[in-house]
Amino acid sequence: QWYQRRVAITAGGAKRKEFRKYSTIVYTKDGAVWTPSAEDKEKFNGFRIVDFAPEDTGIYVGSIYIDNPKEEKKQKCSFSFSMRLNEGTISMAIDNAAHLSSGPLKAGKSVAIQCRVDLTNLIFEDVKNPENVKWYKIIPGSDPQLMTDTSEDSHNFNYAKKTYRLWFADPQAADSATYRCEFCHTALEEKDQAAGSEINAFTEVTIQWA
């Protein structure tokens, strides 16, 4: 899943006043003449791509022509750069799934489901916020039930040792079910939320108490 970023390219090497008054830049992309789109921001010394997309990847060359009437010769130089797309990914796992699903757990003994979320090329707004994930209880034949934090009552949500946790204070047989830890895209920094909303990531574990 790719995500949107603003990309700014600025050329230097000449006096800003001279650059602004007398320079012209001609671009090519992958060997073909290229001009920034109307929605992008072209400036006298570069350009800015507002929403970087897959089709923007490639090798760019900028040829700079400076025609200062005070100089005997016209100046010419070029610069090149490449742009590539870094994919944003989310991977999730229940760290203690093997223990939780190994067999009936002892009722009345407190336990936490430990959900790990790893991001690549995406950034959390606040990595320690327990609300970065949503928890669901799933019983066969029923729709997933969104859980709410009951603080110190039957269960609560917290973050510890780099995992998001659903903690049960006094689990009973009636709590036996499949539990889903689902990533919440609003956990991302604002600039990444649009792409994060397109990512459906979750992990589950089935627990039985007796």
Side-chain angles (χ1 to χ4, degrees):
Q1 173 62 52
W2 67 276
Y3 63 106
Q4 297 178 332
R5 293 284 196 184
R6 292 185 176 183
V7 178
I9 301 298
T10 302
K15 294 181 179 179
R16 185 177 181 87
K17 182 178 180 180
E18 182 181 38
F19 218 150
R20 182 184 292 275
K21 291 183 67 175
Y22 307 118
S23 69
T24 301
I25 303 179
V26 178
Y27 298 100
T28 63
K29 175 188 173 187
D30 296 328
V33 175
W34 177 85
T35 303
S37 67
E39 63 185 23
D40 293 329
K41 306 293 184 179
E42 184 173 12
K43 301 189 295 182
F44 70 93
N45 61 345
F47 63 90
R48 183 180 68 185
I49 296 178
V50 177
D51 289 318
F52 187 80
E55 56 268 25
D56 294 316
T57 60
I59 298 175
Y60 294 74
V61 176
S63 297
I64 304 174
Y65 302 88
I66 301 178
D67 186 7
N68 187 341
K70 297 180 182 180
E71 301 289 340
E72 292 184 3
K73 295 182 179 180
K74 295 181 180 180
Q75 300 179 56
K76 178 184 176 181
C77 62
S78 64
F79 63 96
S80 63
F81 56 94
S82 62
M83 291 196 286
R84 62 186 179 87
L85 188 67
N86 289 325
E87 291 186 338
T89 60
I90 301 172
S91 61
M92 303 181 67
I94 302 297
D95 277 2
N96 57 341
H99 166 66
L100 296 174
S101 60
S102 60
L105 301 182
K106 184 177 180 180
K109 184 177 181 180
S110 62
V111 68
I113 303 176
Q114 302 168 15
C115 178
R116 183 175 299 275
V117 180
D118 294 315
L119 304 183
T120 302
N121 295 321
L122 294 168
I123 301 175
F124 277 119
E125 182 70 28
D126 176 9
V127 68
K128 297 182 179 181
N129 186 350
E131 295 184 2
N132 287 345
V133 300
K134 295 180 181 179
W135 291 96
Y136 292 86
K137 181 178 181 180
I138 304 173
I139 298 175
S142 302
D143 293 332
Q145 178 184 352
L146 178 64
M147 302 179 68
T148 57
D149 191 337
T150 60
S151 296
E152 298 301 325
D153 193 2
S154 61
H155 64 268
N156 67 59
F157 309 148
N158 63 79
Y159 178 86
K161 297 182 178 180
K162 298 183 179 181
T163 60
Y164 299 94
R165 302 187 173 204
L166 169 55
W167 185 79
F168 293 90
D170 184 25
Q172 300 299 315
D175 294 311
S176 298
T178 295
Y179 290 89
R180 174 183 297 174
C181 175
E182 182 176 284
F183 174 78
C184 182
H185 76 275
T186 55
L188 298 174
E189 287 190 345
E190 185 176 356
K191 62 180 178 296
D192 290 336
Q193 287 185 17
S197 65
E198 301 175 15
I199 301 175
N200 183 25
F202 63 87
T203 184
E204 298 176 344
V205 64
T206 299
I207 309 176
Q208 182 180 1
W209 281 280

